[in-house]
Amino acid sequence: MRSWSRRHSNRLRYLLCLGFVGGLSVVLSDALLAAVPATIQEARETARRLIVGAYPELRGLNTELRFVSAWRLDTPVRDDVATWVVGDVWSPPPGPERGNGVRPAWEPLFAERMLRAHVQFVTPSERPSRPDPPRLSIVFTGPLVDELSARAGKIRDTARGEDRLAAVAAAFTRAGAKYGPHAKEAFRSAVQLRIEGIADVLGPLDVTWVTFDDNTGDWVVDFETRSEPVTQYWMKCEPFEGRPLFIGERRKR
C-alpha cells in the first residue's frame, strides 16, 4: 500500500475533493478578507480558499485537504494564541473507484502528505508600540515544493562568476528550470493564475513588481489590492514550477 502512494501521489488526474477533520463541513463564503476571520471555523474556510487559490494544480488531483488543531471551531481568532491553522493536502489511497467525492482513509495511514500550509491571520506585534501588524502569512512546505526549493538552493550556492546573475541564470537553464532569471515574462504569466486564485479571498489584485532574487534563488512578486484602503502583499516562488513558498501581507511602516 505504501509503495502505491509513492508511485501515484503526483498524478494530476482527478478532481479535488476537500474534507475536514471529524467530518466538519464549512459553508463556502464569497466574502473577501476585509478583516481577520472572527472564529477558527471562519479561519479554516478562508485558509482553504487561499490554499486552493494559490495552488491551482491541486484542482487536478483527487486529494483531501484537512485541518488539524486543538482549537474549538468557535474559538475567537485573537492576537495571541488562536491565530493560525494548519492545512494538510493528502494523496488518495488505492481503490477501484476514482472521481469526485473519493477521499483517502480517515486516518491517512497509506496516503502521502503532499502539501502543508501554515496559515497565520494575525502576526503578534513584537512591541506594543507597533500598531496594525500584518494580518496574513502563509508558509508552504511538503513534497510539492521542498525538493524544488532545495534544488534551487544548491544551484544558487554553486553559481560563480563576476556576473553572478548571468551565472545563476545559466545554471538554472542547464538544470531545466521553467522560470529561471531569464524567464521573467513566462513566470509573470504563470504566476498570474495564482494571483487570480487568491484574489477570490483578497479582492481584485494588481501585480506591482516581479523580480528574481539571485541571493535566494527565488522569485518575489509584490502585489496589492485594487480598492481602498490599499493593502500590499508579497509572494515567494521557487523557479522550477513557479510554486509558492510564502505569501504574506507587508508590514505597515
Side-chain angles (χ1 to χ4, degrees):
M1 300 284 268
R2 294 181 183 274
S3 63
W4 182 96
S5 178
R6 287 193 294 270
R7 290 197 306 270
H8 296 275
S9 62
N10 291 325
R11 291 187 177 180
L12 303 180
R13 292 184 178 179
Y14 306 107
L15 297 175
L16 178 68
C17 174
L18 300 174
F20 295 84
V21 167
L24 297 171
S25 176
V26 181
V27 177
L28 177 64
S29 171
D30 292 330
L32 302 178
L33 187 62
V36 175
T39 65
I40 292 298
Q41 183 174 19
E42 292 181 12
R44 286 186 176 189
E45 173 59 13
T46 303
R48 181 189 72 78
R49 294 169 62 201
L50 285 167
I51 293 166
V52 177
Y55 271 81
E57 52 264 61
L58 292 178
R59 298 168 190 165
L61 289 169
N62 179 32
T63 60
E64 180 178 289
L65 171 62
R66 63 178 75 185
F67 293 93
V68 181
S69 76
W71 306 109
R72 288 169 47 97
L73 291 184
D74 58 356
T75 302
V77 173
R78 304 182 303 272
D79 185 5
D80 48 25
V81 290
T83 62
W84 50 266
V85 294
V86 178
D88 290 321
V89 179
W90 297 89
S91 65
E97 297 182 4
R98 307 290 177 83
N100 190 23
V102 178
R103 299 184 303 185
W106 202 246
E107 293 296 331
L109 299 177
F110 305 109
E112 180 179 350
R113 187 174 65 199
M114 304 175 66
L115 186 71
R116 164 163 282 195
H118 185 285
V119 186
Q120 189 160 359
F121 289 101
V122 179
T123 303
S125 297
E126 291 84 356
R127 300 187 300 273
S129 60
R130 174 172 287 181
D132 201 13
R135 295 179 304 178
L136 177 67
S137 65
I138 312 174
V139 177
F140 296 99
T141 58
L144 282 183
V145 291
D146 289 349
E147 181 181 351
L148 300 177
S149 180
R151 288 173 63 190
K154 290 179 181 178
I155 293 173
R156 170 204 66 201
D157 293 340
T158 57
R160 296 289 185 272
E162 293 184 5
D163 188 339
R164 176 173 171 77
L165 185 58
V168 171
F172 275 111
T173 299
R174 291 193 297 270
K178 292 181 181 179
Y179 308 112
H182 59 290
K184 181 175 182 177
E185 291 307 314
F187 171 75
R188 184 163 186 149
S189 297
V191 81
Q192 186 62 36
L193 183 61
R194 303 183 192 276
I195 295 293
E196 292 171 359
I198 61 178
D200 176 57
V201 179
L202 302 180
L205 300 168
D206 290 321
V207 175
T208 57
W209 188 258
V210 176
T211 185
F212 185 87
D213 188 340
D214 61 308
N215 291 316
T216 63
D218 302 315
W219 283 98
V220 177
V221 182
D222 282 81
F223 55 100
E224 62 185 27
T225 56
R226 195 172 298 165
S227 58
E228 297 286 347
V230 173
T231 303
Q232 297 178 326
Y233 299 91
W234 67 290
M235 177 190 300
K236 182 171 72 171
C237 300
E238 53 77 26
F240 283 91
E241 297 293 334
R243 293 170 180 166
L245 303 171
F246 175 84
I247 300 174
E249 181 182 330
R250 289 289 189 191
R251 179 174 289 279
K252 309 296 189 300
R253 294 182 179 180

